[in-house]
């Protein structure tokens, strides 16, 4: 019989010597199409509001919110939230809808793992915004990649108007999220 080699004398390759690429340094090409799919849930969805921010801020209020050259899929302009800033729309008429779908494209820079931002809504007669969804860096998105996000919003009985709000919740001045190609659709009553 052949002798069995001693396993302690054989060299074992070090698995940590191979370089591991940093996922935030390599540019990621944007998807090739803007949001065009209809919301799920049946019904006849109707466009309520749509904007690519190429000519102005649309229904989003405030100053110093529109920035270039980050835009999806083409063009030059998008809106930006930075650190704890917010983007808020004027009131939007939704009296004919029982359900809303809101889609947008987002692109983050400088967001550390755990930094996040929220999407909130407020209906007529309410003083505070209600959280609808939250996106967390390192879990829901990475820096320097375009992602499409979508939320569905039920419209309470008797509500006629809505305000939409993006709200940053990060701690450094270089924490930025760019918003583009927003689409609000309604499912008729």
């Amino acid at each position: 019989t052949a002798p069995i080699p001693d396993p302690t004398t054989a060299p074992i390759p070090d698995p940590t010597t191979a370089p591991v690429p940093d996922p935030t340094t390599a540019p990621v090409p944007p998807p090739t199409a803007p949001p065009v799919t209809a919301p799920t849930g049946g019904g006849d969805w109707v466009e309520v509001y749509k904007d690519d921010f190429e000519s102005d801020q649309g229904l989003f209020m405030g100053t110093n919110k529109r920035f270039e050259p980050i835009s999806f899929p083409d063009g030059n302009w998008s809106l930006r939230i930075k650190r704890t800033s917010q983007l808020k729309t004027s009131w939007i008429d939704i009296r004919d809808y029982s359900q809303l779908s809101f889609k947008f494209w987002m692109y983050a820079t400088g967001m550390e793992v755990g930094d996040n931002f929220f999407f909130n809504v407020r209906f007529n007669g309410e003083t505070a915004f209600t959280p609808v969804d939250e996106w967390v860096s390192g879990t829901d998105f990475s820096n320097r990649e375009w992602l499409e996000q979508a939320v569905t919003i039920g419209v309470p009985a008797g509500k006629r108007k809505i305000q939409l709000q993006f709200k940053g919740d990060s701690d450094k001045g270089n924490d930025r999220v760019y918003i583009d190609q927003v689409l609000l659709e309604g499912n008729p009553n």
Side-chain angles (χ1 to χ4, degrees):
T1 26
I4 299 174
D6 182 1
T8 60
T9 60
I12 300 172
D14 183 1
T16 61
T17 57
V20 178
D22 181 359
T24 61
T25 59
V28 176
T32 57
V36 293
T37 57
T40 57
D44 297 316
W45 292 87
V46 177
E47 181 181 304
V48 177
Y49 171 63
K50 180 178 180 178
D51 210 326
D52 64 5
F53 310 113
E54 289 304 306
S55 60
D56 58 26
Q57 290 181 189
L59 297 178
F60 287 86
M61 302 181 292
T63 58
N64 205 23
K65 306 288 185 190
R66 189 168 161 255
F67 291 88
E68 66 175 337
I70 297 175
S71 183
F72 178 85
D74 51 23
N76 296 313
W77 297 91
S78 60
L79 300 186
R80 182 188 80 188
I81 51 177
K82 177 179 172 182
R83 215 170 155 201
T84 58
S85 67
Q86 68 176 352
L87 293 171
K88 180 174 67 174
T89 66
S90 55
W91 289 101
I92 302 169
D93 186 350
I94 54 155
R95 73 183 76 228
D96 296 330
Y97 308 106
S98 59
Q99 187 179 33
L100 301 170
S101 168
F102 184 67
K103 296 180 182 182
F104 63 97
W105 285 86
M106 60 152 296
Y107 182 91
T109 62
M111 299 285 282
E112 293 82 22
V113 171
D115 285 346
N116 58 345
F117 71 99
F118 297 90
F119 177 71
N120 306 316
V121 299
R122 175 170 66 178
F123 294 98
N124 57 290
E126 299 173 351
T127 56
F129 281 88
T130 301
V132 174
D133 211 337
E134 169 188 16
W135 294 274
V136 180
S137 177
T139 302
D140 302 309
F141 66 90
S142 297
N143 287 317
R144 302 191 183 284
E145 67 178 347
W146 281 105
L147 291 174
E148 183 181 26
Q149 305 293 352
V151 296
T152 304
I153 307 157
V155 178
K159 297 302 180 183
R160 303 175 330 276
K161 295 181 181 180
I162 191 172
Q163 277 189 305
L164 312 176
Q165 179 196 56
F166 288 102
K167 178 84 170 96
D169 187 29
S170 57
D171 59 352
K172 294 195 171 92
N174 69 338
D175 296 337
R176 296 177 175 136
V177 177
Y178 296 87
I179 306 293
D180 207 355
Q181 300 292 335
V182 298
L183 175 62
L184 178 66
E185 293 175 294
N187 194 353
N189 296 328

